Amino acid sequence: MQTDAISKITQAKVLTKGTTESVDISYAFTSDLMSDVLTIDVSKLVLITGLNNLQTIRTAEMAEIRCILFGRDKKPSMEMITLAEKEGMVLMVSEKSLFHLSGLLFQEGIKPVY
Amino acid sequence: MEFSYIIEGGDFSKAGSASSEVKKILKQLNLAPEKIKKIAVAMYEAEVNIVAHAYKGVMEGKIDAEKVFLRFRDEGPGIEDVDKAMQEGFSTASEEVRQMGFGAGMGLPNIRKNSDSLKVSSEVGKGTTVEITSYINN
């Protein structure tokens, strides 16, 4: 599934520019614990999180995660967006809860990691 | 090649910037993407550990045809019981560190998982040294 489909399904607003076209997603992981995110081995993953700080982006960079979906309207800062754009990531934000976002994507065939 | 980066203790705005630079070097050297990810995760965990626990530190690296060797030396409180610190779930991290999404006692176990060799030595009241080796063709 492409990231534009993910933003459509979750009614999320894409915040990064120039990187949205071709990020393909098969899996999702929902967590605020970056240590846990760093243990994941799969690729093509969207991170669904409510943790809104620079380490969220750094963690995604190290773990080769190209798409982050922030729930509960946790809007990332400009600094986070700039770093994400530099790393070719797609950031999006939705008003829905992490549970709701996870459920919507699961329903559409996005797979759990575990 | 050799390199070294200063890591500031307590400064979460910069945590990960040294690892980000080294990751770019690994990409330029055309290492396998899976290998790069493993090394990136291991060094980022080690860098976050310094930011979270120490006053200051340094990441020194050496890359040759066979392996990537990274040494993280810090000046800080040290680790009282290294064996305990290696256990999953054990953590002495502050509330601030936990708010950053870390401090769940997963760092050192995750470094071990993502490297071929991990050596931790520490002196209480002085600091900690973490050495990570990853073999390139492994």
Side-chain angles (χ1 to χ4, degrees), chain A residues 13-111:
Chain A
K13 189 180 170 202
V14 176
L15 304 165
T16 39
K17 291 187 182 76
T19 53
T20 54
E21 302 88 20
S22 61
V23 180
D24 189 30
I25 301 294
S26 304
Y27 293 91
F29 190 70
T30 304
S31 182
D32 286 351
L33 183 59
M34 294 303 109
S35 308
D36 215 7
V37 175
L38 286 167
T39 63
I40 296 169
D41 287 330
V42 304
S43 54
K44 295 187 177 180
L45 180 107
V46 54
L47 170 63
I48 304 170
T49 188
L51 189 80
N52 180 3
N53 65 50
L54 211 48
Q55 294 317 309
T56 314
I57 313 295
R58 285 290 185 207
T59 297
E61 178 193 351
M62 298 305 154
E64 298 287 346
I65 294 169
R66 300 274 314 279
C67 181
I68 307 174
L69 171 54
F70 293 93
R72 292 285 291 128
D73 213 20
K74 307 274 184 189
K75 289 190 188 76
S77 66
M78 261 328 284
E79 196 184 2
M80 290 166 69
I81 295 171
T82 306
L83 181 61
E85 284 174 345
K86 214 173 101 190
E87 297 299 330
M89 287 173 206
V90 178
L91 300 190
M92 45 183 102
V93 64
S94 166
E95 288 178 359
K96 298 183 193 309
S97 69
L98 304 189
F99 176 72
H100 197 166
L101 295 169
S102 306
L104 286 170
L105 293 178
F106 184 81
Q107 217 168 17
E108 294 295 327
I110 293 292
K111 291 177 276 196

Side-chain angles (χ1 to χ4, degrees), chain B residues 1 17 35 46 55 69 75 83 86 101 107 119:
Chain B
M1 70 179 297
S17 49
K35 184 57 82 177
Y55 315 127
F69 173 76
E75 291 172 29
D83 288 339
M86 294 295 291
K119 218 170 105 187

Side-chain angles (χ1 to χ4, degrees), chain B residues 1 24-32 36 63 68 136:
Chain B
M1 70 179 297
K24 286 184 182 84
I25 295 173
L26 299 177
K27 276 188 177 171
Q28 280 164 10
L29 291 172
N30 270 329
L31 265 66
I36 294 177
I63 304 174
V68 176
I136 289 170

